[in-house]
Amino acid sequence: MTARHILALSGGVGGAKLADGLQQACNDGRLTVVVNTGDDFTHLGLNISPDVDTALYTLGGVANPETGWGRRDETWTFMDTLARLGGETWFRLGDGDLATHVERTRRLAAGEALSAITADFARRLGIQADVVPMSDQPLRTRVHSDEGIFDFQDYFVRHQCRPVTRSIEFAQGDDVRPSPAVLAALADDALDAIVICPSNPYLSIAPILAVPGLRDALREAGVPIVAVSPLVGGAAVKGPTAKIMAELGVPVTADEITRQYDDLLAGFVLDERDAALRERIAVPVHVTDTLMRSADDRVRVARETVDFAKHLKARA
Ligand code: GDP
């Protein structure tokens, strides 16, 4: 795989695995990872950006391999002490992870942009890729459910996705716009492809596409946009993607994901377990094993995705 510059859209754990594969496969090429911040929230007085941190820890090689989120070799003194004091413990913050949130909160309060802080953290973690929050202004995902309206982490962590989803809202002010680094990456003459990682289309990718101007900017970049299916064998590998599709009244099949991305897509990477759905997909399809269990899997899926996108670009 030789690519000059790839831009990837990513949520948390599923997306970060492919982003990691892209980073390994990029060699001398450039990778920009645009990360969902719709999950960001303030907790215990701290500004927490869960998907940005999953991207940073995964690309920086310090992610917890068991959970996919949080840091490896983490200690839990803070959380244990907080529990003894009767504090809120539903959102687990390891000691090392806590330092990320404390330092981010301090720098945001001092007036720095989230994208500048993230770029600096990425550099300090030795990450080759540019990790870019989708926006420096807050856009917050809220889940409207049969049990009321929940802020995202309340739904996702505290209530473990149990409420039945009726609709999803992206609450935002008038000033929300794409991070300047996203627009600069999309304007790069060397950009070869845009990859939508196998993240939750409704909770992780939709907020990115809801940033005013971002969807149009992706389309206008003039390079193939290829999505990797987050459904494997008609089910989510992890998380509520399938549950939400069912609750929204959408068939839980991979071809439905292509309808979610609609006019953006030039091609779709479909898992081999879902190969029978190929005929129902309107754009060119690449069928492969998309399950990323090992580091080698990540690199293989990344290479195949980029080669597929480059083939589409050559044909265009
Ligand atoms: P979250 O924010 O941590 O929930 O993570 P994401 O939104 O990035 O990813 C959740 C989606 O990733 C789910 O739909 C999973 O099915 C999908 N996913 C996780 N691991 C894999 C994998 O190895 N292969 C594929 N194709 N999808 C995956």
Side-chain angles (χ1 to χ4, degrees):
M1 173 190 121
T2 49
R4 295 168 302 161
H5 186 182
I6 302 292
L7 181 136
L9 307 185
S10 176
V13 175
K17 286 198 278 184
L18 186 65
D20 185 43
L22 287 166
Q23 179 173 251
Q24 316 279 338
C26 255
N27 301 323
D28 294 335
R30 196 176 147 201
L31 172 67
T32 302
V33 185
V34 179
V35 185
N36 171 40
T37 56
D39 299 8
D40 291 16
F41 72 133
T42 308
H43 183 59
L44 307 176
L46 301 170
N47 295 97
I48 302 182
S49 298
D51 284 358
V52 170
D53 292 342
T54 296
L56 287 173
Y57 297 160
T58 304
L59 293 168
V62 297
N64 179 331
E66 267 99 59
T67 54
W69 57 268
R71 300 174 63 101
R72 69 163 76 231
D73 306 323
E74 187 61 282
T75 56
W76 297 93
T77 305
F78 168 74
M79 218 48 330
D80 293 344
T81 311
L82 190 64
R84 291 193 64 178
L85 295 172
E88 279 191 55
T89 54
W90 59 271
F91 195 86
R92 309 279 303 154
L93 294 170
D95 298 335
D97 191 29
L98 183 63
T100 305
H101 311 311
V102 168
E103 181 60 2
R104 173 188 296 120
T105 303
R106 183 189 70 75
R107 290 172 68 162
L108 283 170
E112 260 187 89
L114 180 63
S115 53
I117 300 166
T118 305
D120 187 49
F121 285 180
R123 187 181 60 76
R124 288 171 189 275
L125 283 166
I127 296 172
Q128 232 182 309
D130 293 329
V131 181
V132 186
M134 65 192 198
S135 177
D136 282 326
Q137 295 79 36
L139 177 154
R140 295 290 169 261
T141 303
R142 285 151 60 93
V143 177
H144 293 236
S145 79
D146 62 338
E147 296 176 32
I149 302 173
F150 292 100
D151 289 338
F152 183 79
Q153 296 303 336
D154 229 12
Y155 162 80
F156 198 70
V157 180
R158 202 205 292 245
H159 294 281
Q160 302 189 336
C161 311
R162 271 188 303 264
V164 176
T165 305
R166 301 271 187 245
S167 63
I168 299 160
E169 177 197 352
F170 305 112
Q172 52 181 303
D174 295 337
D175 62 337
V176 177
R177 54 191 184 278
S179 293
V182 177
L183 299 179
L186 288 171
D188 182 7
D189 286 340
L191 190 69
D192 280 326
I194 296 168
V195 175
I196 303 180
C197 290
S199 285
N200 186 317
Y202 304 90
L203 296 177
S204 294
I205 303 296
I208 302 178
L209 301 178
V211 174
L214 211 153
R215 195 179 177 117
D216 288 343
L218 291 170
R219 203 188 296 105
E220 285 159 14
V223 297
I225 304 179
V226 171
V228 178
S229 179
L231 290 182
V232 174
V237 178
K238 187 172 170 285
T241 304
K243 178 176 183 283
I244 286 176
M245 291 175 83
E247 291 168 359
L248 293 176
V250 172
V252 187
T253 52
D255 54 307
E256 207 52 49
I257 308 288
T258 63
R259 281 181 267 287
Q260 171 77 8
Y261 298 139
D262 192 35
D263 58 324
L264 286 178
L265 280 195
F268 190 64
V269 179
L270 178 68
D271 191 84
E272 60 189 13
R273 298 157 191 84
D274 299 308
L277 298 170
R278 181 178 201 143
E279 306 310 318
R280 289 171 27 190
I281 296 172
V283 291
V285 172
H286 175 73
V287 177
T288 190
D289 180 2
T290 70
L291 196 56
M292 294 173 281
R293 290 195 194 89
S294 66
D296 286 350
D297 291 337
R298 295 176 181 187
V299 176
R300 180 185 53 76
V301 178
R303 285 217 170 95
E304 288 188 35
T305 302
V306 171
D307 287 343
F308 175 51
K310 289 194 71 181
H311 164 77
L312 294 173
K313 190 178 184 209
R315 263 185 16 174

